[in-house]
Amino acid sequence: MIALIDYKAGNLTSVRKALSAVGVDFVVPDSPDVCGEAAGLIVPGVGNFAATEAITSEWRAAIGSAVERGRPLLGICVGMQWLFEGSEEAPEVPGLGLMPGRVARLDGDAANRLKVPHVGWNALDFTARASRLLRGVEPGAPVYFTHSYAAPVTADCVASTSHANTFSAVVERDNVFGVQFHPEKSSDAGLQILRNFLDACR
Amino acid sequence: MLTKRIIACLDVRDGQVVKGVQFQQLRRAGDPGALARRYNVEGIDEVVILDVTATLETRQALARTIDAVAREIFLPLTVGGGIRSEDDAAAAVEAGADKVSVNTAALRDPGLITTLARRYGSQAVIVAIDAKREAGHFGVYVRSGTSAAARDAVEWAREAESRGAGEILLTSMDRDGTRAGFDCEMTAAVSDAVDIPVIASGGAGTFEHFTDVFTRGHADAALAASIFHYAESSVADLKRHLREHGIPVRL
């Protein structure tokens, strides 16, 4: 059973539908205690980093303790950004700090018509590191992004993506995973990534 | 590299896909779920469901259509046409929409854009602008193109962006359903004025029209309906054509 963390930022319908499509048994817990019983946790997210402030200290402790006991955690979009130390978008709100680094605003490039927000399908450029999350996904596979902020390319990066600058598209550190794009909206490649996360939870 | 998006529009009335010419003479084009399934296989990047009768389609009927499409595809899905309030937007999102497109209601109450952006994030809010060429500018129309809004499309797009819109869906009423090509001048004028992506709509008839709107028209995405519905041209063929002409697309 997977716990899908709902902190009321945006809506979970798409994520729910994609999880159902890949055959996942999941719950949306209304109490942090449930995190301890889950085989894995997913923190989705859209919109502003400040929304993660709704993940209270009780939830942070429950999620942190599940991760310490080896349970896989997947952050999606703002959920991935939250795995880092914090974000330029809301500097007063701390991230979970499981990955070193801070999230920064994407660069634009007016001369080359590269706009921010970065919206649409862009390629996953695999780094040299082996990845469990990207098993069965083709290098260069296009996935769907919609964001204005992103994490830097660090030692935890297993795939980067380039717009005006290059940023972390997929991060992986032991049992902690993050994707800046939306796997639930990224057709076959996205569903494969969700399946890989579920395999990690078994 | 960020690719240019090809978006299929399903104009829906009474649960069926229809298509008109210059917003009139609707004719039937098929079942929304079946069309979405075909487009997904062919490599469409996004799907838009537009309730073309806007005020006539009941919320429940629209929710059934959204659900039927959302269960077929794992792609971004936008719903527009009947969104008059925050409640309408919430119903569309609950039914499976990732983005809502607002038009008449946003012009009447621009604060609605901000309300929706705060609730769902800017990435979920598209402001749809129906415009046509008038003396010296591009005039905005509302109520499915039946009445003039006394606004300029470029100026309204800028305001929509500042109020929190995440994308602009710009339809040329002069070209809608004519297959005479996108209005590249109008698209470029709006796209150059805002930082958010602009989706060009209205007039797609040939593959060259798409090449034009991505080059001369500075569009970030192009939306079409009739060219795809009757299986005259496949999305895959269009994308191969675009790639051969140096336009980055997802294949």
Side-chain angles (χ1 to χ4, degrees):
Chain A
M1 187 262 295
I2 304 289
L4 179 60
I5 312 297
D6 184 8
Y7 53 101
K8 309 297 175 199
N11 98 309
L12 300 183
T13 310
S14 292
V15 180
R16 285 167 178 271
K17 286 196 178 192
L19 290 178
S20 300
V22 296
V24 184
D25 181 22
F26 68 92
V27 292
V28 181
D30 45 22
S31 142
D33 304 341
V34 182
C35 295
E37 300 155 23
L41 304 111
I42 297 179
V43 179
V46 289
N48 195 296
F49 191 85
T52 61
E53 205 170 13
I55 308 175
T56 61
S57 55
E58 289 78 14
W59 283 95
R60 288 173 68 101
I63 294 167
S65 126
V67 169
E68 257 172 47
R69 283 182 291 115
R71 301 292 158 77
L73 167 65
L74 172 65
I76 298 175
C77 194
V78 172
M80 160 180 166
Q81 297 175 5
W82 182 68
L83 301 175
F84 285 79
E85 291 163 24
S87 170
E88 200 177 288
E89 188 173 22
E92 70 287 0
V93 178
L96 195 55
L98 294 177
M99 306 242 174
R102 287 187 71 80
V103 170
R105 188 168 167 86
L106 289 172
D107 293 338
D109 179 352
N112 289 302
R113 312 198 50 75
L114 299 177
K115 295 175 174 179
V116 176
H118 173 234
V119 180
W121 298 78
N122 204 335
L124 291 178
D125 300 319
F126 291 14
T127 65
R129 277 193 53 205
S131 164
R132 283 196 281 169
L133 207 55
L134 296 172
R135 205 169 282 165
V137 177
E138 291 286 316
V143 289
Y144 184 79
F145 292 88
T146 175
H147 62 126
S148 297
Y149 290 80
V153 175
T154 62
D156 298 317
C157 179
V158 291
S160 67
T161 293
S162 295
H163 191 47
N165 58 316
T166 299
F167 57 89
S168 272
V170 184
V171 288
E172 203 167 313
R173 186 188 184 94
D174 303 322
N175 53 326
V176 181
F177 305 86
V179 290
Q180 177 58 63
F181 54 89
H182 289 272
E184 74 280 13
K185 294 281 106 191
S186 294
S187 199
D188 297 343
L191 296 180
Q192 180 62 40
I193 286 165
L194 290 176
R195 277 190 210 100
N196 290 343
F197 175 70
L198 301 175
D199 285 345
C201 296
R202 290 205 176 101
Chain B
M1 188 194 281
L2 183 64
T3 57
K4 299 292 187 181
R5 289 172 282 155
I6 303 296
I7 303 175
C9 183
L10 308 175
D11 291 337
V12 170
R13 187 178 64 179
D14 304 329
Q16 286 291 308
V17 178
V18 295
K19 187 57 202 155
V21 174
Q22 290 172 319
F23 290 31
Q24 301 295 318
Q25 307 157 21
L26 299 180
R27 71 167 164 138
R28 287 169 72 113
D31 172 68
L35 276 172
R37 188 162 54 234
R38 195 184 95 210
Y39 295 153
N40 183 38
V41 170
E42 290 177 359
I44 202 74
D45 295 316
E46 288 190 43
V47 171
V48 172
I49 296 173
L50 269 189
D51 170 10
V52 288
T53 44
T55 53
L56 299 180
E57 184 98 341
T58 70
R59 199 183 278 179
Q60 293 87 340
L62 187 61
R64 276 196 298 277
T65 303
I66 297 167
D67 183 64
V69 171
R71 65 176 68 232
E72 295 292 343
I73 55 166
F74 296 96
L75 303 172
L77 174 61
T78 299
V79 172
I83 313 291
R84 280 162 293 161
S85 64
E86 190 179 351
D87 283 352
D88 288 338
V93 166
E94 279 305 307
D98 300 295
K99 317 181 193 184
V100 292
S101 162
V102 286
N103 188 338
T104 307
L107 274 158
R108 193 169 45 216
D109 170 22
L112 178 64
I113 300 169
T114 313
T115 304
L116 296 178
R118 286 215 181 104
R119 180 157 171 186
Y120 298 110
S122 284
Q123 87 294 331
V125 185
I126 295 183
V127 170
I129 302 177
D130 296 336
K132 63 181 175 192
R133 287 170 176 257
E134 288 171 345
H137 83 139
F138 305 104
V140 178
Y141 281 71
V142 290
R143 298 182 184 285
S144 301
T146 56
S147 64
R151 292 292 295 262
D152 172 74
V154 172
E155 171 263 323
W156 171 227
R158 276 208 192 99
E159 180 182 341
E161 176 181 34
S162 72
R163 287 182 180 271
E167 295 180 70
I168 300 290
L169 167 54
L170 179 68
T171 301
S172 162
M173 296 175 59
D174 300 311
R175 303 294 177 89
D176 178 67
T178 64
R179 307 197 190 192
F182 295 95
D183 189 334
C184 291
E185 246 180 80
M186 180 170 86
T187 308
V190 172
S191 188
D192 293 349
V194 295
D195 283 325
I196 53 178
V198 172
I199 304 161
S201 155
T206 67
F207 291 173
E208 282 68 32
H209 292 156
F210 287 86
T211 314
D212 282 350
V213 84
F214 287 133
T215 51
R216 281 198 303 126
H218 301 173
D220 299 285
L223 174 144
S226 15
I227 186 171
F228 302 135
H229 291 341
Y230 307 107
E232 294 160 8
S233 321
S234 88
V235 176
D237 290 341
L238 167 61
K239 287 187 157 187
R240 275 191 289 272
H241 174 91
L242 289 170
R243 180 170 279 189
E244 281 161 15
H245 288 75
I247 313 276
V249 289
R250 177 178 77 107
L251 274 179

